[in-house]
């Protein structure tokens, strides 16, 4: 009996640690993670926006994380090879999310590694 409880505890611990508390939605080849400060509706709207402009369509896996602090949003784009490229395009995505999804709220853009560690913070326009 004790062993069953211990195994159940380990499974719950593993699941909670591996997700980091973030939730995840998938849109084609786009995985969109979002924090508890983001509503599911906001995350779905951002994912739908990306799908509508053709981001995350194709064979290349795209990973993005959406978070919020006070009235500022942050979108983190994972650079799979650790190389920061095409900064202007990523900033345009942030501006598009702001204007088309989040009612003009400021959206900071951060280019990150696979663990969402910042490689280059681009801010917002």
């Amino acid at each position: 009996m004790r062993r069953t409880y211990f195994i159940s505890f380990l499974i719950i611990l593993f699941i909670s640690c591996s997700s980091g508390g973030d939730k995840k939605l998938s849109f084609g080849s786009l995985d969109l993670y979002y924090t508890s400060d983001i509503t599911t509706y906001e995350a779905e709207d951002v994912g739908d926006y990306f799908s509508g402009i053709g981001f995350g369509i194709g064979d290349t896996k795209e990973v993005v994380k959406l978070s919020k602090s006070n009235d500022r949003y942050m979108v983190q784009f994972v650079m799979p090879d650790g190389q920061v490229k095409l900064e202007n395009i990523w900033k345009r995505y942030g501006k598009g999310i702001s204007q088309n999804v989040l009612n003009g709220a400021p959206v900071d853009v951060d280019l990150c590694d696979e663990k969402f560690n910042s490689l280059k913070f681009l801010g917002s326009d």
Side-chain angles (χ1 to χ4, degrees), residues 19-25 32-36 38-40 43 64-66:
S19 67
D22 296 336
K23 298 174 188 169
K24 177 179 144 184
L25 295 171
L32 175 69
Y33 292 87
Y34 61 103
T35 62
S36 61
I38 301 294
T39 68
T40 302
V64 175
K65 182 176 178 180
L66 184 65

Side-chain angles (χ1 to χ4, degrees), residues 9 11 17 20 22 33-34 48-49 52-53 59 61 65 70 73 82 91 95 101 125:
F9 171 76
I11 291 171
C17 290
D22 296 336
Y33 292 87
Y34 61 103
D48 289 341
Y49 171 76
I53 62 171
D59 296 331
K61 179 60 93 178
K65 182 176 178 180
N70 299 319
Y73 291 84
K91 285 188 83 163
K95 188 174 184 176
V101 181
D125 281 340

Side-chain angles (χ1 to χ4, degrees), residues 83-100:
Q83 298 294 314
V84 174
K85 308 176 217 175
L86 308 171
E87 293 176 26
N88 290 334
I89 291 173
W90 303 115
K91 285 188 83 163
R92 275 191 257 152
Y93 284 142
K95 188 174 184 176
I97 293 167
S98 171
Q99 293 174 344
N100 298 299

